[in-house]
Amino acid sequence: MGKVFWEGIDSTVATARELTRIPRTCVMPVLRDHVTGVYNVAPYTAGLISVDPLILAVGVMGQGSQERIKHIDTFTMGMPSIDQTEYIWAAANRMPDGISELEVMGWHLLEREGLHAPGLEECRINLECKILERFKLPEPWRTVMIVRVTAICVNEELIGMEREEILKIIPVLEGGTSIPEGYYGVSTLSGGILSDACKAPKYTGPAPMNGKVLIREEDFGRYPQLRSLAVIPAPTYIVAVNDENGKPIAEVIEFGHLQASQPCLHVPFPRDSRVWARIREVGEFNIYMPTLENLKLVERLRAAPGTDPFALGFTKGGKNMFGIEVPAEIEVCTEADLMSYTEIEEIGVVFAVASKVGAVLEETIDAAADLAITHPARVAECINDFFSRLLFHAHDLDMRRVQVRYGKYSAVGFKTAPSWGNHLTVGLMHIGWLGVNAFHDWVLELTWTKILSKWEAEKIIHELDIWNDSKGIEYLRGDYPEGEMERRRERLTKLIRMMVWAHQDPWKWDGVHAYLETFPNPYLYRGHHMGPMHLPNWDITKEYI
Amino acid sequence: MHSGKKVFWEGIESTRTTATEVTRVPRNCVMPVIRDAQTGVYNVSPYTGGVISLEPLIMAIGVMGKGNQERIRQVEEFTAGLPSSDQVREVWAAANRMPDGISELDVMGWSLFQTDGMRAPGIRECRMNLQCKILQLFKLPAPWRTIMIVRVTGMCIDEEVVELDREAMLQLFPTLEGGMSIPGGYYGLSTFTGGIQAPTAKPVRYSGKGAVDGKIFIEEGEFRREEYKPILAAGIVPSPTYIVTVNDAAGNTMGEVIDVGHLQASQPCLHVPFKKDSRVWARIREVGAFTINMPNIGCREQVNRLRESPGTDPAGAGFTPAGRSMFGIPVYTECEMGIDARLIARTDVDECDTVFTVSAKVGAILDEEVEALADLTRTPPATAYEAVNGVYSRYIYRMFDIDMRPVEVRYGQYSVQGFATTPSWGNRISVAWHDFDSFIDYLQELVWLKILSKWEFQKIVNELMLWNDSKGILYLRKYYPAGAMEAMRTRLTTLIKLMVWAHRDPWEWDRVHAFLESFPNPYKYKDHHTGPMHMPNWDIGQYI
């Protein structure tokens, strides 16, 4: 089978991006804003770095969130369930600073004795985390939090449930593709985990309080069935590089996560890895995504890390832009350019972050995923089928002796939710000169499509102007009447909450219109810079023609 | 005839249209040419400038935008063009935000020049250029702008206009940015012309040095030489006179006439220079708040009296109190408009013994009749337009005699004739929502109005993403083919130039469509995050 090589600028084509965006786990950190005191909740994706101790990496985007985590040592994050995708989506929408996503979602903080930072009441699993390191990537990129899970809080209905059943409910995985429709692709993969360690032993731990059980890190070993809930499944992959003689060496990796936002590859290596030593020298490497069909070859390579994969049975399929051979058996490969790395002393791991700068795709899958030649339903099917054949690893309840099992996920249960943003600019996230704001673009579209009137748009814009991310109009803030900001916070929160759910259920727009009736008349605040208008009192025929 | 009754808008209410429009005072347009140290590109944007001192000639120019603020840190000297009243369209073109690395000059079709003796290039098409040395970069607290305090170290004037009489010169340039136009999502560059009572109306016989390539350049040391005084006078732009008032510790009012500085649009919008020994300033420094009254031409005698006794009660000079502002400071019947100001920042300009202050407008006091006429919910726009421009035309514009040494102030009156507005980037809904990028909003509107197709939109967006403010896609930059960035720069410059002028002349859109044909196919770059689409190959019938 032939290969298609997408390199450099061309690696931004849709097929290269979609197929290399690998499903991953959604977590929702609850971060208190040190200035406003508001608890912010946003969905991120997390990758496992180590199981003992339990260490995760969570990338944090957005200047506000990056600033917030500088002032926090411990926080709790909820792991949403498959039935909560609408709420994940609601929290993913950008809110003005000072407006809490929690209130918009209608969710509540989980606060209880023994939990050192509030979590999410509605999440069945909450992980209390201590930040080990804030790994700031070079500007303009994100900060990656390396966190140690210090407590787990679980809903009692999960206790005693079999592992397989729990994996079907939690965690939600963000899948990579859906029919192109300007939607934020929160998707779920579920079902089909193969594990002979699924049987849950009888639980004999502390009694639930208000329906939840809390265990702290020192007790993780006593309650493996609870600890295992924090060990999130992810696909296995192979990292390859050429050694100093130009021969490929490779290693199987089960940790980290391959996410969507550049630099998108979070790859942890054992500190003494031969492959890592070579990558540190040359800066460029390749990631192969094996599927269930490649299981035996992967097992061979796992037993001999740092060896030539082609000597173990992989077939040469051509050299990529770095001169590294790609295996004929592998449908999707990613070419990576090392950007930054940090050492995690506690576990002897080097955590590397790299950019995706190329993709090598099997010709048939590239064609099947190409919207210019394939119908979108077929494209979604092709890509999701590929994801379902990846080697997802799960861990045995006995974490100390890490035993990897493979699960087969089926593509059932994918679900997408419509996003903020509009049909034109939904995917343009703060790209250079285009300082796109999804909420603003959404309001524009609502107006152009006549869901909102232009006066309603003006009312919303005016309210946001005066709120100004909870700062108020800076030069007038001192002259605001007492209680003004709190009144405006309540009004904006209610408005956004109504708009969020109207976006999911169009019949709810009537409620939004009725609520906007109570907003101040924006006519009075329009300058000549604010676009054309016509007011009923302008009888132009009578006076001016 | 005005009743003298006032409407007071305070705090949040001061953001009302009537308060913001009527208190936006006409001011001068200057176009500094600033070289970007990273890209080597010369950027040109229109700003408004205000004179702080005549001798030496010192001006303040506020610079907005992070990129521009960064750029001016890297220059010590630059030249600024003064556009003429026939160049409003080019000024507008330069005001539209361009991606970094794309030169407004190329888009405008203008060019640089640097004649013998000039230390930084100016704009060939501007009939007057001022060479400026930055004395101070006065950074206001974030998120606000940086103000360049500059000393004019040279002037360059076109030979063809050097012998114009003063009145003709004032009508030619500078362009003044007026505040009011019919609400149309337009960037309101306006021109005031006519009616100047010029102190030296007689044609000037120029006897100075000869021109090089049609331009005469004089250095600061030559400004005061008799033969070059007409050039100096032409470079000092008129602006309205105003009165600053504050109450002293005993509650008595003190007022001072100010002929310099400028009252602009972007908050904190009041640039008011005081002499260091001003009593009024000493009190403002203590209390942090003051009121500005804008006298009109009918009360020039009272203004002159107050000018002669600064720091005294304006009532003593003949002004009639008509209520008190939010700070308890009197406002006057003779002043149709007043502004409540809260001091934000100040800096000493030692070269001219001046304290330069910047304040926010936090309240407005308007004559009831003016307020009613300027209120678009009660008045048709043409009437509102006429009312506000009428207020502007009644201000006392100060100008200076050719003989600068004994500074003699004369008043001119502007007529409302000659206003011109031009359409902006941005769209009809969010043009003034400044946090957001007006170009992307403009593109969206073009698509909704079907002026651009959605595929043309995607082509432009894709090009802008790859260009990324001349940085390229950061993580892929090193993999760009040789020459790709330069090819993109040329392509984007051509595209923006075509779009700028198509925005003025809709028939030009055909050329934009034709040019976009040559852009790469955006289909390939669309994924599920980049919006819905339908492509010809999707025969949905077979899937139903």
Side-chain angles (χ1 to χ4, degrees):
Chain A
M1 205 63 70
K3 301 282 186 194
V4 181
F5 294 81
W6 296 114
E7 297 171 358
I9 293 179
D10 281 334
S11 69
T12 62
V13 298
T15 54
R17 276 188 291 162
E18 289 287 319
L19 284 161
T20 55
R21 193 186 324 224
I22 304 299
R24 54 215 181 275
T25 307
C26 178
V27 290
M28 300 176 79
V30 181
L31 303 174
R32 184 174 180 277
D33 187 287
H34 57 287
V35 178
T36 61
V38 165
Y39 283 94
N40 288 95
V41 179
Y44 297 104
T45 53
L48 193 63
I49 295 181
S50 141
V51 292
D52 194 15
L54 246 173
I55 293 179
L56 298 165
V58 183
V60 176
M61 315 247 291
Q63 218 180 354
S65 300
Q66 292 189 56
E67 192 54 39
R68 238 163 254 142
I69 61 170
K70 285 184 195 157
H71 302 270
I72 293 169
D73 288 328
T74 299
F75 66 92
T76 298
M77 58 191 189
M79 294 176 75
S81 318
I82 194 167
D83 56 346
Q84 293 173 324
T85 43
E86 277 85 359
Y87 296 93
I88 301 172
W89 161 78
N93 291 310
R94 186 172 165 240
M95 309 285 161
D97 277 0
I99 303 295
S100 170
E101 293 86 356
L102 273 176
E103 290 184 57
V104 170
M105 295 155 79
W107 277 17
H108 304 90
L109 288 178
L110 165 68
E111 290 175 290
R112 59 176 290 162
E113 203 182 324
L115 192 64
H116 296 165
L120 295 171
E121 181 67 46
E122 284 74 8
C123 283
R124 295 179 173 94
I125 299 176
N126 278 277
L127 308 179
E128 180 197 284
C129 302
K130 183 175 187 313
I131 299 178
L132 299 178
E133 189 178 337
R134 296 166 191 85
F135 179 31
K136 176 79 191 91
L137 301 182
E139 287 297 335
W141 289 300
R142 65 190 173 279
T143 298
V144 181
M145 293 192 288
I146 312 281
V147 302
R148 180 170 176 148
V149 178
T150 49
I152 303 173
C153 188
V154 180
N155 274 23
E156 66 177 318
E157 71 263 23
L158 297 186
I159 297 168
M161 202 182 266
E162 286 188 7
R163 188 81 199 283
E164 188 173 336
E165 288 306 305
I166 291 172
L167 283 169
K168 283 181 184 173
I169 304 170
I170 301 168
V172 175
L173 292 170
E174 190 187 31
T177 201
S178 55
I179 295 173
E181 56 204 342
Y183 285 177
Y184 181 83
V186 170
S187 308
T188 55
L189 288 157
S190 66
I193 285 285
L194 301 173
S195 173
D196 58 11
C198 286
K199 299 277 179 263
K202 194 174 176 204
Y203 174 72
T204 56
M209 194 169 72
N210 294 328
K212 291 183 188 284
V213 173
L214 175 73
I215 56 163
R216 298 210 56 84
E217 191 180 14
E218 53 271 25
D219 293 328
F220 282 0
R222 291 171 61 193
Y223 307 111
Q225 65 273 48
L226 298 189
R227 176 186 52 182
S228 70
L229 297 176
V231 182
I232 50 188
T236 294
Y237 52 97
I238 297 166
V239 173
V241 65
N242 284 348
D243 69 11
E244 52 278 17
N245 301 314
K247 289 184 71 174
I249 52 174
E251 181 171 344
V252 175
I253 308 268
E254 281 144 1
F255 297 100
H257 66 307
L258 312 178
Q259 59 165 45
S261 306
Q262 289 279 15
C264 61
L265 311 168
H266 288 187
V267 184
F269 293 94
R271 198 185 287 156
D272 58 359
S273 154
R274 204 187 145 205
V275 170
W276 163 245
R278 182 62 183 156
I279 289 171
R280 190 160 59 176
E281 283 172 18
V282 296
E284 291 161 341
F285 59 100
N286 212 356
I287 290 176
Y288 310 150
M289 293 306 304
T291 53
L292 282 167
E293 296 88 336
N294 313 126
L295 181 55
K296 283 187 182 163
L297 292 170
V298 173
E299 288 292 13
R300 269 185 228 148
L301 183 60
R302 182 196 312 287
T307 58
D308 180 354
F310 301 99
L312 298 173
F314 282 101
T315 316
K316 290 183 178 176
K319 288 188 175 178
N320 74 2
M321 63 195 283
F322 302 138
I324 304 170
E325 279 286 353
V326 293
E329 296 82 356
I330 303 290
E331 293 165 71
V332 172
C333 300
T334 300
E335 282 143 353
D337 186 4
L338 181 66
M339 172 168 289
S340 191
Y341 65 91
T342 183
E343 295 204 11
I344 306 172
E345 298 292 345
E346 287 85 344
I347 48 174
V349 162
V350 176
F351 179 76
V353 177
S355 301
K356 178 165 64 185
V357 297
V360 183
L361 309 177
E362 199 171 274
E363 233 169 38
T364 48
I365 200 168
D366 179 70
D370 184 350
L371 290 162
I373 47 179
T374 308
H375 186 275
R378 286 277 155 77
V379 169
E381 200 177 303
C382 154
I383 295 177
N384 294 336
D385 172 68
F386 167 69
F387 290 158
S388 77
R389 290 185 285 110
L390 293 173
L391 293 173
F392 285 85
H393 65 262
H395 286 77
D396 198 303
L397 293 181
D398 180 1
M399 296 289 156
R400 240 161 288 221
R401 192 169 58 82
V402 176
Q403 184 161 347
V404 176
R405 313 278 167 147
Y406 298 109
K408 181 184 176 187
Y409 280 75
S410 75
V412 297
F414 270 79
K415 193 167 188 176
T416 58
S419 66
W420 269 185
N422 71 21
H423 287 71
L424 290 171
T425 63
V426 68
L428 308 176
M429 301 289 284
H430 306 290
I431 296 164
W433 189 56
L434 299 172
V436 172
N437 178 290
F439 184 78
H440 158 251
D441 286 352
W442 185 46
V443 171
L444 286 187
E445 180 165 273
L446 290 172
T447 313
W448 288 112
T449 53
K450 301 197 191 313
I451 291 172
L452 289 182
S453 73
K454 91 182 159 173
W455 292 115
E456 288 174 324
E458 294 289 355
K459 284 181 175 183
I460 296 171
I461 289 169
H462 185 243
E463 194 70 15
L464 288 169
D465 271 350
I466 293 188
W467 175 251
N468 190 24
D469 276 337
S470 84
K471 297 187 291 292
I473 299 178
E474 281 97 343
Y475 63 92
L476 289 176
R477 185 68 181 82
D479 299 306
Y480 277 30
E482 200 181 329
E484 182 72 13
M485 287 302 280
E486 181 54 22
R487 277 193 294 279
R488 287 184 185 271
R489 193 192 66 74
E490 283 171 13
R491 194 154 62 186
L492 258 183
T493 301
K494 185 171 173 185
L495 172 72
I496 292 174
R497 185 173 178 175
M498 292 177 88
M499 289 177 71
V500 162
W501 301 116
H503 198 31
Q504 293 266 7
D505 176 0
W507 278 262
K508 291 197 158 46
W509 282 112
D510 289 343
V512 177
H513 298 312
Y515 188 54
L516 281 168
E517 287 285 324
T518 66
F519 278 50
N521 176 4
Y523 290 28
L524 296 172
Y525 300 90
R526 290 178 60 90
H528 73 279
H529 279 299
M530 297 176 69
M533 61 173 179
H534 182 263
L535 295 177
N537 64 305
W538 301 352
D539 182 356
I540 54 169
T541 54
K542 194 170 84 188
E543 294 186 44
Y544 295 95
I545 292 178
Chain B
M1 195 61 194
H2 289 258
S3 65
K5 286 187 184 165
K6 304 288 184 185
V7 179
F8 296 82
W9 294 123
E10 297 170 0
I12 292 179
E13 292 304 317
S14 70
T15 62
R16 282 171 172 258
T17 314
T18 51
T20 54
E21 288 290 322
V22 183
T23 56
R24 195 184 322 223
V25 175
R27 55 215 180 275
N28 313 114
C29 180
V30 291
M31 301 177 77
V33 180
I34 308 279
R35 184 174 180 275
D36 186 293
Q38 280 192 318
T39 62
V41 165
Y42 284 93
N43 288 94
V44 177
S45 301
Y47 298 106
T48 53
V51 171
I52 296 179
S53 138
L54 289 175
E55 192 170 4
L57 187 53
I58 294 178
M59 294 175 69
I61 303 171
V63 175
M64 317 247 290
K66 208 172 154 187
N68 290 329
Q69 293 189 51
E70 188 56 42
R71 242 167 250 138
I72 58 172
R73 283 196 206 116
Q74 296 155 354
V75 292
E76 288 176 358
E77 214 157 4
F78 64 89
T79 300
L82 290 185
S84 317
S85 50
D86 57 346
Q87 292 173 324
V88 193
R89 285 162 187 81
E90 283 80 5
V91 175
W92 161 76
N96 290 312
R97 189 171 165 236
M98 310 283 159
D100 278 359
I102 303 296
S103 170
E104 292 87 356
L105 281 170
D106 290 340
V107 170
M108 295 154 80
W110 278 12
S111 52
L112 296 176
F113 81 102
Q114 190 165 357
T115 193
D116 272 359
M118 277 177 77
R119 290 188 286 276
I123 301 173
R124 181 176 301 282
E125 287 72 12
C126 285
R127 294 177 177 99
M128 169 71 86
N129 278 272
L130 307 178
Q131 180 180 277
C132 303
K133 183 176 189 307
I134 296 177
L135 297 177
Q136 195 181 131
L137 291 178
F138 178 29
K139 175 85 190 85
L140 299 183
W144 293 308
R145 63 192 174 281
T146 298
I147 297 165
M148 295 192 286
I149 300 190
V150 301
R151 178 170 179 148
V152 179
T153 55
M155 288 187 176
C156 190
I157 193 166
D158 277 15
E159 182 183 24
E160 68 186 38
V161 299
V162 75
E163 291 196 347
L164 286 181
D165 68 39
R166 192 74 205 283
E167 190 173 335
M169 194 78 91
L170 280 167
Q171 287 184 16
L172 179 64
F173 56 65
T175 302
L176 290 172
E177 191 187 31
M180 183 71 183
S181 55
I182 296 173
Y186 286 174
Y187 183 84
L189 269 188
S190 308
T191 56
F192 281 101
T193 61
I196 287 286
Q197 296 180 350
T200 315
K202 298 271 180 264
V204 173
R205 177 177 286 171
Y206 176 72
S207 58
K209 64 176 93 166
V212 178
D213 291 335
K215 294 195 181 277
I216 301 161
F217 176 70
I218 57 167
E219 298 237 34
E220 189 181 12
E222 299 170 304
F223 285 178
R224 313 286 158 174
R225 279 169 56 177
E226 202 59 33
E227 64 270 33
Y228 297 128
K229 279 183 181 170
I231 299 179
L232 175 63
I236 298 173
V237 289
S239 70
T241 291
Y242 50 98
I243 299 168
V244 173
T245 46
V246 67
N247 289 344
D248 67 14
N252 300 316
T253 306
M254 302 188 285
E256 182 171 340
V257 176
I258 310 266
D259 296 309
V260 284
H262 65 305
L263 312 178
Q264 59 163 50
S266 305
Q267 290 277 15
C269 61
L270 311 168
H271 290 189
V272 183
F274 293 95
K275 282 294 165 195
K276 277 185 186 163
D277 59 1
S278 157
R279 268 185 71 208
V280 170
W281 160 242
R283 180 62 182 158
I284 290 172
R285 189 160 61 177
E286 283 172 19
V287 296
F290 58 99
T291 297
I292 289 175
N293 284 283
M294 293 296 299
N296 63 30
I297 195 119
C299 58
R300 74 166 72 158
E301 283 179 17
Q302 293 94 314
V303 171
N304 276 337
R305 279 200 288 272
L306 184 60
R307 186 195 309 287
E308 280 159 19
S309 48
T312 60
D313 187 347
F319 286 98
T320 318
R324 288 181 183 266
S325 74
M326 63 193 282
F327 301 132
I329 301 168
V331 294
Y332 302 99
T333 307
E334 292 78 5
C335 300
E336 292 172 73
M337 183 273 274
I339 298 171
D340 294 313
R342 197 182 290 287
L343 184 66
I344 296 276
R346 68 186 175 92
T347 184
D348 284 345
V349 185
D350 291 330
E351 288 80 354
C352 55
D353 199 31
T354 291
V355 179
F356 180 76
T357 68
V358 177
S359 304
K361 178 167 61 186
V362 297
I365 307 105
L366 307 176
D367 265 16
E368 213 173 54
E369 292 83 355
V370 171
E371 208 275 336
L373 284 171
D375 182 352
L376 292 165
T377 65
R378 291 183 277 167
T379 311
T383 309
Y385 174 82
E386 202 175 300
V388 177
N389 292 335
V391 173
Y392 295 162
S393 76
R394 290 190 292 275
Y395 291 148
I396 300 173
Y397 290 82
R398 69 102 182 88
M399 48 189 289
F400 298 93
D401 199 306
I402 285 176
D403 182 1
M404 297 285 158
R405 239 162 287 227
V407 174
E408 187 167 341
V409 178
R410 312 276 173 132
Y411 301 112
Q413 183 176 0
Y414 283 78
S415 82
V416 297
Q417 303 303 312
F419 272 81
T421 58
T422 51
S424 66
W425 270 181
N427 73 21
R428 286 152 194 258
I429 294 165
S430 61
V431 68
W433 207 359
H434 291 299
D435 278 351
F436 303 109
D437 190 287
S438 54
F439 188 73
I440 191 77
D441 286 355
Y442 171 55
L443 287 182
Q444 289 184 62
E445 179 164 274
L446 291 172
V447 179
W448 290 112
L449 295 177
K450 301 197 190 311
I451 292 171
L452 287 182
S453 75
K454 89 181 160 176
W455 291 114
E456 288 174 322
F457 171 90
Q458 296 289 354
K459 283 180 174 183
I460 297 171
V461 164
N462 196 48
E463 193 75 5
L464 289 169
M465 282 164 47
L466 292 175
W467 175 251
N468 189 25
D469 273 339
S470 84
K471 297 188 289 288
I473 296 180
L474 300 177
Y475 63 93
L476 290 177
R477 182 67 183 85
K478 66 180 179 185
Y479 302 103
Y480 277 32
M485 289 300 284
E486 182 52 25
M488 245 182 274
R489 194 192 65 74
T490 307
R491 197 155 55 190
L492 264 177
T493 301
T494 306
L495 173 71
I496 291 175
K497 185 171 182 173
L498 287 169
M499 288 179 71
V500 162
W501 300 115
H503 197 32
R504 304 292 312 230
D505 177 359
W507 280 263
E508 294 291 316
W509 282 111
D510 289 345
R511 296 177 62 192
V512 177
H513 298 312
F515 187 60
L516 281 168
E517 285 287 322
S518 67
F519 277 49
N521 173 8
Y523 289 33
K524 281 260 172 213
Y525 299 91
K526 283 187 68 82
D527 61 17
H528 72 281
H529 277 298
T530 52
M533 61 175 176
H534 181 263
M535 297 214 269
N537 64 303
W538 300 352
D539 178 0
I540 54 168
Q542 67 179 284
Y543 292 97
I544 294 173

